[in-house]
Amino acid sequence: MKINFYPAYILFLIFSLTSCKELDTVNLNNPDRQTVLTTGGDLIAALEGGYINWWQGVHGDHPALALSVAGDAYGMSWADFGAQRMGMEPRTAYNNRTTEESDYRQVVQEPWFGCLSAVATANDILAALDRGVSIDRDGPQDQGVRAAAYFLRGVSWGYLGLIFDEGLLVDEYTDLEQELNFVPYPEMIAASVAELELGIQTATPLGEDFVHNYFNEVRLNTDEFVQLSHAYAARFLTQWPRTPEENETVNWQAVLDHAEKGLTYNFAPEADGESWQSYHQWVFAETGQGPFWARVDQRLVAAMDPSQPSRYPETAAKGEAPLGKTEAQSNDQRLKTDFVYLPKNNFPVDRGEWHYSHYKHNRNLTDPDFAGDGSSTGPMPAFREADNELLRIEALLELGQKSQAISALNAGTRKTRGQLPNLPSQAGEQEVRQAILYERAIELLSTGPASLWLDRRRMMSREDYLEVTPLGGLQTGTPAQLPVPAEELRIQGEMPYNFGGPNDPEGIVAVF
Amino acid sequence: MIKQLLLVLLVAFITPLSAQQIIQGRVTDAATGEPLVGVNIQIKDTNYGAVTDLDGNYELRIPGSGGQFFSRKASPPVLVFTYTGFETQEIDSKDRDRVNVELTTTASELQEVVITGTATGRSPKLMSYSVGRIAGPAIGRVPADNLGSSLQARIPGLRVSRPGGQPGQEVYYQIRSANSIANGQQPLVILDGIFLSEGSLADIPVQDIDRIEVLKGSAGASLYGSQAANGVIQIFTKRGKDLEVGKTKVTYRNETGFSEVVDQYPVNTLTQREIIDSGEPQPILGNPNEGQLFSQELPNLQNYQEDFLFQRGVRQSHALIVEGKTNATNFLASYQRLQDKGVLQGLDGYTRNALRLNLDHQVSNKFSVYLSSAYTQSEQDLIEPVANGPNNFLSSTLLMTPMFTLDAPNEEDGTAFDWDIDNTGANITNPLYTRENISNRLGRNRLLGQAGVSYYPKEWLNISYAAALDRSVRNFEQYLEKGYLSTTLPDGFGTLATANVQGSNGGGILQRDQVDQTFISRLNVSAQRGWGGFNLATRLGFLYEDITQEIREGKGEDLAVRNLNSLDNARSNITISSAAQEIVAYSGFLVADVDYKEKYLFSGLLRREGSSLFGPENRWANYYRVSGAYRITQDLKIKPFQELKLRASMGTAGIRPTYEQRFEAFSLVNGELTKNTLGNELLKPAQSTEQEIGLDATIGRSLRLEFNFSRINTDDQILLVPLTAAAGFRGQWRNAGSLEAKVYEGGLNIDFARLFRFKGTAMRWELFTTFSRVQQTVTSLDVPAYYTGPGAQQASLFVIEEGRTLGLMEGEIFATSLEQLQGQEGINPADFMINDLGYVVRTDQLGTAQEAPYKLRDAGGNPIVDVIGDINPDFRMGFAHTLAFRSLELYTLFDWKKGGDIYNATKQWLYKDLRHAEVGDNPNISANFYGSNGLYNALVANNHFVEDGSFFMLREAALTLMIRQQSLGGLFKKFDHIRLSLIGRNIFTKTDYSGFHPDVSSVPRSESLLSTSAPDARGSDLTTPNGDPSLFLVDSFNYPLPRSFTFSVQFGF
């Protein structure tokens, strides 16, 4: 039996001609760790990504909005960003479950994952620098990247310490295969400040060779970078306490030291409509189109006009008398310049009339520093010079230098923008503290994320929701810190827990 | 016995004496009674034969020396009647000089040879594992616009999910059980040897189909390795092979009709608010009344659904098919055009043009070449998928309070529709404005081709080579007209798409081109020999696959001019993105089918496969199959079985990781680098092992039964293992779980005409019943239990947990009995009662505005989350019924699903703004009971929105009149036949489900946009796997499944 296999050879030939590719294909889309971390230029691109993670985690839509509503700075009944549920009255616990709907879960997920992935990126970069990946052979560019990475870790740990009861401290030497232990918030704050100082130490010798270009459209020289680092250190050292009792343990001298070297400019990255957005500013923005997403909380209206109630009357639900005069009057000129009066409310009545107020923040139209909308264009003030100054004033007050504090207040925005009468030099300590809180509430509104929530929890005692005062503490049952997200606890094999609600009036004791 | 022997001897002696026998008769079509011309009649085992004349008559002269065979066999001649398209009949002519025969058309469910997964093709009778088969004519009666839809309820164990009735919509399959937790259940789909990318059948016209074979699980589909754990569907198109030599057949078919929505969605026409102004076009409502009761009709009440939303949409198709055959060549050429407007007003629906050319040519007696090619172009005018919240034309129409004059002009710019007419606080953009100003178009061009050569050095040996290509180009465009005013924007568009924001002109454009290409090249050597009762068929094969994908996307806002669909039109927020992937795989296999005297059947297979999607540490995977069967009735006569075959089979197959699962990492969007998932060098395909036992039986010629039980274990599930946030990456895809499924399925074909012995009549009466029941469990999970679901809103609806059923829904629970209050902290059950809606409420709040359903809570006061539903039905059945008398045929297909829950997210959304009809149904229950603090529950999943998805429906029906040439007169005489049909689809459904239709599945996001989110390819995200419609039965403003009626006429030349 003889078979002519000649045609078969041809078939084999065709087959072998068409099969020429290797099984080891490359990732065509995205550089992997090996690629990113082996060339110096890519380190910068990766670090930019880390800064975006941090920005979105802290200034992104969910925590800044939800905590501002919980801190009675904003009124918003919409379910977006978890605002509705974080603003329930009486307050409910933050229910830390993976089964919760997405908007609500992201209140904890966004800052947790955002800050920690920023830290992870900083760690990758520091590790790469340590193993010799370089832009200019340990020259100023390498050192500049190093300083920026320390800064990124510092602000990330700082915000984890401000927001969560505990965090994870992971640096470039941590073995991620090993079990990680949660670290309580005071340690997170301490690590954060130390890291910011490390960044300052690394950047300072670089002088003119240092450029920090990681915040969108904000180019910082050494001085500006050092100032910003000090300012954040002052912020974290001031705003970490959960209660007035803890507030008494603040290291005010350290706050003063940092604040005095702090900002002499307004720190405000530019919005780009994609990665760089601040929804807590965007919800107030004048878009040319109604309806406005959020309102200013009625407690702030009452702060400016004492004749206004701190709580909007529940006319439909409880038959309370409607607001006699919906337009407020105030000696503070900012009521006219920074806020706009709206005769009608537009939230659904069945979601609670306590969300109502007749004002929204309008400073983006009247103040050039606020000219953006928080979303697509313009600066997004995240740390104002005035904020730094108020931290300094508060440190002075708490260190017993009341008169310096009063004169600084009288020289500050209270006067320059609010045109309020001088605070008398004999004003009591509590009165000065109230004046500082007032200024932090009105002047800093819509700048530092969730700032008033952080201030109310530490400066004033909790108040029952029916008896709130304009500049009082958080409402009873408001979470004063957030739990580690249930997703992370699940990975670490721990049970989810909550803060706030009727079983935790101070909002600081874990409820399972 | 002795008597019989004597008889044989007698015949043997007597028959040679009769010099010449003449047998006469007439052959007619059993269906029509018309004579059949040219039927071939042959005396079995001889060359003697005859052909029928124009009247169907024949005369067969058996030669004088006929004794030679009579004496040899000692039996009268057996006449064999063969005619293309009709079943061959053998008739014993004993003692008869006239034999009249009625031939029946080829039974659709019976095909001669199964190709898929075998060595050289096997008769179904000789298969040792189960294969589903369906023939072209069976699905051609009611041709679906998507071939996939045609398979529903016809093949035991094959389930087809269709997210809705949008014309041109993709369908999804699940064969037997769900074998994958995160990668979907799509089987491998092969068309004439071409591996189809993404398994899409949307471009294949039904009219071209010759037959379809379905390998249901690993036990049968091992030949296809890591792509086959979800089964294999192989489709064969027509090629003119069955024609007589020298014949050319031309068929033209037209189908015209309409589709419509069966019922309107029930919406609330009442209000609980005071009416401040009832005038047109914008009535104004005030505060709620004291009891928050729906006590009055809405002012200026509108019926949006009838006036603006729905229509009777025209549906029309044309098909021209030419088939021909010469001595050496056969071919098919076809053109088809389908146009389906759909049931939504103002949209263009779906248009498809398809061309096909199939060609076989015998070069010599040892060489043949073949070509299959198709080009399809289609255009779809889409509504935006409701993946992250409802903002499209359909959903807005249902959510909008029906009291506004929607076609009132826009006061801002004088254009047609007032965009902000809604003043209720719900702030829904006028749906007509949305429809006119936002368009979503998907164009698709697809080229399919295979060319091959086949060489036969010996009769028993074949060497063949083929190369095949599936190249699909999708162009998606989203366009917002310049001047767009609403702040409600499609996913991905920023604020400058709204006019007047920072001086923007508004409007936006997104264009996305996606090119998918699957190239395969394969070489097969097959041999077929028989000796000593053994028959052996083997095939050795090599396969090379190269699969690529390229995506390019551009987006911009703030358009310069109106009506210009060009990226150059955008002035701000311009982003560009691209993505590419390439997958390479090599495999080799050896398959052998053996039988002994067609009685004992064996099949064995080995396959080794390497893929770039497997990590370098696990680069090669092995697969096998062993199966055997015993045809008992070949040995034993068991009444009433004509055929009884017992089968057992075991095999393995895999599920490939996706590209995104295999590779990390940093996603780079618009030059910004962020970490995503960590790559996995150890990743291997999920491995499915199936054990199948089954039987095939033919009972008394009239009943055919198939039954299978199969147990499927799919290990090494590819799951996203979440990593601590400290790692920076969200997670890593690892092999981390197992699924087990038990499947009971069967098919029963009853030929009533034979059962009731309708002798000599022209009646056909057949019923084909399918049945399947599936139980599926997560048997191991190496990640902590987690929740998943389709889209952001239902991301935490389905629980994946070791030891539990796959497909369980969990959510919060509103108490429906007082017993549930036992153990509720701080609750005295005596203070509660059941209200008219069956929910537990506080007695003192009954009938007040505070009346609210009681939600079960744990000791900490938090809502309890527990099982609220299960998607898995008790069983599914299909009934394909054909009743024909002469030339008239009635065909019906019923589909029955018993049990299985659906989560009605549409209803939950409608509760939000109190727009669902149920909200106004009870005059004594306040709005609060339904709203945010009540059942609506701020969109958090709860038991109120879980509904039984059982249904019984008449899915298809066709009444057909076939007129053959003999009955045609006058002008029509030239036609071979004319076929007239009245066709209905989705005609009638019996269900308790409250939505549009219970046959829904989740709507996957059809276009994942690179510029907004890189990692959202199917299977790449745990919380929103984005596309397992089989697993996630969530009704979320799905395009309603329409009912359609059409009339079709077909001419044959």
Side-chain angles (χ1 to χ4, degrees), chain B residues 72-73 336 363 446 508 620 636 716 881 906 917 955:
Chain B
R72 179 159 58 90
K73 287 224 159 181
Q336 315 220 1
V363 181
R446 195 170 194 191
W620 292 89
L636 303 166
D716 294 330
H881 182 255
T906 308
R955 197 173 274 281

Side-chain angles (χ1 to χ4, degrees), chain B residues 26-27 34-38 51-57 965-966:
Chain B
R26 190 162 188 251
V27 184
E34 299 297 327
L36 293 175
V37 187
V51 175
T52 55
D53 63 16
L54 284 174
D55 299 317
N57 294 322
Q965 191 173 38
Q966 296 82 349

Side-chain angles (χ1 to χ4, degrees), chain B residues 2-15:
Chain B
I2 294 171
K3 269 187 186 172
Q4 285 168 342
L5 201 62
L6 284 174
L7 193 67
V8 169
L9 288 171
L10 192 66
V11 169
F13 275 101
I14 292 171
T15 44

Side-chain angles (χ1 to χ4, degrees), chain A residues 3-4 11-12 18 21 23-24 26-30 33 49 95 99 120 124 275 282 289 373 376 488 498, chain B residues 453 455 457 495 502 521 523 544 546 579-580 582 586 612 619 659 664 666 672-673 675 724-725 787 796 862:
Chain A
I3 301 171
N4 180 5
L11 298 186
F12 270 113
T18 56
K21 290 190 174 158
L23 280 177
D24 286 307
V26 293
N27 188 348
L28 299 168
N29 304 310
N30 302 314
R33 272 176 307 165
N95 193 32
T99 44
D124 285 347
S275 306
W282 171 237
Q289 300 296 321
D373 61 7
S376 54
E488 179 74 45
N498 315 321
Chain B
V453 290
Y455 171 56
T495 49
Q502 278 94 54
S521 166
L523 182 72
Y544 166 69
D546 185 8
E582 177 161 25
Y586 289 90
S612 61
R619 180 108 304 161
Y659 192 82
E664 67 185 50
F666 288 81
E672 285 163 8
L673 202 54
K675 283 181 170 182
T724 168
Y787 290 93
S796 48
N862 291 307

Side-chain angles (χ1 to χ4, degrees), chain B residues 632-708:
Chain B
I632 301 177
T633 38
Q634 298 291 97
D635 278 336
L636 303 166
K637 295 270 179 253
I638 308 172
K639 276 196 171 175
F641 292 98
Q642 289 222 317
E643 164 87 37
L644 179 62
K645 179 171 74 181
L646 301 179
R647 294 181 269 106
S649 179
M650 180 165 170
T652 59
I655 297 168
R656 277 186 186 170
T658 63
Y659 192 82
E660 294 80 1
Q661 291 169 338
R662 163 70 184 83
F663 295 103
E664 67 185 50
F666 288 81
S667 67
L668 186 60
V669 176
N670 249 16
E672 285 163 8
L673 202 54
T674 42
K675 283 181 170 182
N676 184 18
T677 52
L678 186 61
N680 186 351
E681 301 280 280
L682 301 172
L683 196 64
K684 51 187 177 182
Q687 173 96 345
S688 170
T689 307
E690 183 181 41
Q691 294 141 314
E692 175 194 89
I693 54 170
L695 65 83
D696 297 301
T698 307
I699 304 164
R701 290 184 188 276
S702 55
L703 267 70
R704 283 205 320 274
L705 172 73
E706 177 190 355
F707 174 79
N708 302 305

Side-chain angles (χ1 to χ4, degrees), chain A residues 1-8 11-12 14-15 18-34 36-37 42 45-46 48-50 52-53 78-79 84-85 88 93-95 97-103 105 112-113 116-117 119-121 123-124 168 170 176 180 272-276 282 286-291 316-317 346 348-351 372-373 375-377 487-488 490-492 498 503 511-512, chain B residues 287-288 367 419 425 427 453 455 457-458 460-461 463-465 485 487 495-496 498-502 519 521-523 525 542-544 546 555 573 575 578-586 610-612 616 619-620 659 663-668 671-675 678 722-729 784-787 792-793 795-796 812 850 858-863 865 912 914 928 931-933 936 938-940 1011 1023:
Chain A
M1 181 176 74
K2 191 185 172 197
I3 301 171
N4 180 5
F5 273 108
Y6 180 65
L11 298 186
F12 270 113
I14 300 170
F15 181 75
T18 56
S19 321
C20 54
K21 290 190 174 158
E22 298 284 328
L23 280 177
D24 286 307
T25 57
V26 293
N27 188 348
L28 299 168
N29 304 310
N30 302 314
D32 59 16
R33 272 176 307 165
Q34 302 306 320
V36 165
L37 304 179
D42 286 345
E48 280 170 357
I52 290 168
N53 286 340
W78 309 117
Q84 185 194 4
R85 290 177 66 188
M88 288 301 287
Y94 179 78
N95 193 32
R97 295 292 180 278
T98 56
T99 44
E100 286 290 353
E101 50 103 12
S102 171
D103 260 314
R105 274 185 292 132
W112 180 264
F113 289 97
L116 281 173
S117 66
V119 171
T121 302
N123 291 344
D124 285 347
L168 288 169
V170 172
L176 292 171
L180 299 171
D272 71 354
E274 296 280 348
S275 306
W276 296 91
W282 171 237
E286 179 54 78
T287 62
Q289 300 296 321
N346 66 338
V349 69
D350 63 340
R351 296 196 180 183
D373 61 7
S375 173
S376 54
T377 58
E487 286 77 5
E488 179 74 45
R490 201 183 64 193
I491 293 163
Q492 309 287 350
N498 315 321
N503 297 327
V511 182
F512 286 87
Chain B
N287 285 329
F367 242 124
W419 72 276
N427 299 316
V453 290
Y455 171 56
K458 290 282 162 190
W460 50 270
L461 182 66
I463 303 167
S464 67
Y465 170 79
L485 288 168
T487 49
T495 49
L496 295 187
T498 299
N500 300 334
V501 174
Q502 278 94 54
F519 172 78
S521 166
R522 65 168 158 246
L523 182 72
V525 181
F542 300 97
L543 175 71
Y544 166 69
D546 185 8
K555 194 183 78 178
N573 278 1
T575 57
S578 72
Q581 50 180 262
E582 177 161 25
I583 299 159
V584 174
Y586 289 90
S611 166
S612 61
R619 180 108 304 161
W620 292 89
Y659 192 82
F663 295 103
E664 67 185 50
F666 288 81
S667 67
L668 186 60
E672 285 163 8
L673 202 54
T674 42
K675 283 181 170 182
L678 186 61
L723 299 177
T724 168
F729 289 94
Y786 66 91
Y787 290 93
Q793 297 292 353
S796 48
E812 296 178 356
Q850 280 72 44
D858 62 17
N862 291 307
V865 173
K912 171 173 173 271
L914 307 170
N928 282 338
S932 300
N933 304 320
Y936 162 59
L939 277 182
V940 174
S1011 51
T1023 50

